[in-house]
Amino acid sequence: MEGSEVMIKFLVKGQNIETLEHKIIAADQIAFVKIHFAFDNNWKPLHKVVQFTQDEITYNRVLGTENTSCFLPAELTAGTVKMSLFGYDAEAIETVRATTVVKTLHTRPSGFEGENSNVPLTPDLYQQLLQKIQSI
């Protein structure tokens, strides 16, 4: 199914997220809406995490140092979603953390009326980091 997803593209430049290519986002998708990022040189060496927040719940998607895209969390419902990134330099002697301002995404209601209990949960940040470590 690779290549059949919807792609939305952003440029992360300094502490800002600029929209490069945007499409309408409908709720109730699972592993279908892919968010792709182009990073300026300041971000390239950093270990990056994308945060999606809706209704006071935050979902983290770990990009690491190499990945530039992730899927939109399946748990997101129709409404406003706040997206931001943070990155850190694991090699630095002193703590380095990059952050961005919030980018607001709007998710529209879908016509899907099926079971909602089968939605796979987005692993929390700790689980994702463990998966990254185990894959090394």
Side-chain angles (χ1 to χ4, degrees):
M1 183 113 175
E2 192 66 35
S4 64
E5 68 271 339
V6 172
M7 179 93 60
I8 300 173
K9 297 178 182 176
F10 297 97
L11 170 63
V12 180
K13 192 173 176 184
Q15 291 189 291
N16 195 35
I17 304 171
E18 298 175 15
T19 304
L20 294 178
E21 188 179 319
H22 185 69
K23 295 187 172 56
I24 293 172
I25 304 170
D28 304 311
Q29 60 78 45
I30 299 175
F32 187 68
V33 178
K34 191 172 259 191
I35 309 293
H36 178 79
F37 300 94
F39 293 97
D40 71 12
N41 288 334
N42 296 316
W43 281 85
K44 287 200 168 124
L46 300 179
H47 181 90
K48 297 168 277 296
V49 178
V50 188
Q51 292 190 315
F52 299 94
T53 303
Q54 186 179 53
D55 301 326
E56 308 301 316
I57 301 171
T58 299
Y59 306 97
N60 293 291
R61 293 288 199 186
V62 175
L63 296 180
T65 53
E66 302 300 319
N67 290 337
T68 56
S69 60
C70 65
F71 284 108
L72 203 61
E75 296 87 350
L76 298 177
T77 57
T80 302
V81 178
K82 294 178 180 176
M83 179 182 74
S84 62
L85 287 96
F86 69 90
Y88 55 90
D89 186 347
E91 307 295 317
I93 295 168
E94 293 185 41
T95 302
V96 173
R97 179 174 57 219
T99 57
T100 65
V101 294
V102 170
K103 182 79 169 175
T104 302
L105 307 177
H106 299 283
T107 306
R108 295 187 185 176
S110 77
F112 182 71
E113 295 292 337
E115 279 288 320
N116 209 14
S117 60
N118 294 340
V119 174
L121 298 176
T122 300
D124 67 20
L125 184 57
Y126 178 73
Q127 291 170 319
Q128 290 182 62
L129 291 173
L130 279 179
Q131 289 170 356
K132 279 271 185 217
I133 291 168
Q134 290 168 351
S135 70
I136 295 176

